[in-house]
Amino acid sequence: PLQTFIHMCCENGQWMSRLPEELWDIPLYNLALPGSHDTMTYCLDKRSAVSGNESKVVKFLNKCMPCIVRPIIMKWSITQVLTVTEQLEAGVRYLDFRIAHKANDPSMNLYFVHMVYTTVTVQDTLWKVLRWLEAHPQEVVILACRNFDGLTRRLHSHLVACIKEIFQCKLCPRNVIPTLRTMWQLGHQVIVSYEEDMELKEHCELWPTIPYWWGNKTSTRALIRYLEHMKRRGRPGKFFVAGINLTENLGYILLHPFGSLKKMTLQSLPCLKIWIKQQYPGPKKECINIIAGDFIGNNDFVKDVIELNTKINPPLDCQSRGAGTNNISFFA
């Protein structure tokens, strides 16, 4: 409901600037950050062609029976309903950008994609992010540029040039240890993760791929088991994402002909909420960093992730199972 969303924005729109000073010198990869999975699917184009990355079967069925197949594609492709600006206002600080170039499009226009393409371009969206950052000078956003469906070397160069032109000095180079205090002092507000090694070698403003723990599960219980398994293996040293998003498959869709990804997600949120509240941010093996989900405006997801940072009161106990009293010291 609109009233709930307005209340959420008032609380979370500037949550980073309101963190206690003892957290300002902790690297962002040791804080808890809320993220959105497949950020731009709220504006998928119903009339768009199917992505070039999709299987030949999906393309064939969409071509032969568009009236039947297209509504099914839309029901299972949309993962967000809030716009990118609304997501930022709600407190999301990790944006999952799946970028693509349409097949047979002679222009340099780039779009976002999840089975089908979006109505908005990447460039227009980046300008929206910039305008939001200018109004929130102490907030930091991580942009994960991924997928790159149909991008040639020329299009990669064009995209990186757009990123650098739009954000300029707000881009944080990867040699900086990204604490809030350091980012504020240097005027940096944007960390861009770029999933293409050639561009990384040429541009110090781009960060390496941020690992994403994707369970690829249809059940909440199986997803939590997967996430706990990944935690036991140990967190990466810097940024990483624990994805609490469920993933449908053909069998699941056939068993739920009147279902949708939104219904699937909303049913899972009560159990996932409990799991989120049990997590701890920090550098130790079983700690978390970014938690990304679908339909982020529901069930206090963003608020629950932000509140995990209240557990950071160095020395901090990072044992998510409640055992032990190990202390953690944070060093920039």
Side-chain angles (χ1 to χ4, degrees), residues 275-287:
W275 182 84
I276 290 171
K277 284 180 170 291
Q278 293 172 343
Q279 304 313 304
Y280 287 79
K284 279 203 167 181
K285 180 179 177 179
E286 291 194 351
C287 292

Side-chain angles (χ1 to χ4, degrees), residues 94 146 193 195 208-214 230 236-243 289-290:
Y94 166 90
R146 311 170 61 198
S193 162
E195 209 171 69
T209 301
I210 295 177
Y212 193 108
W213 290 355
W214 176 50
M230 296 301 290
K238 294 191 176 179
F239 291 110
F240 75 102
V241 184
N289 174 214
I290 301 164

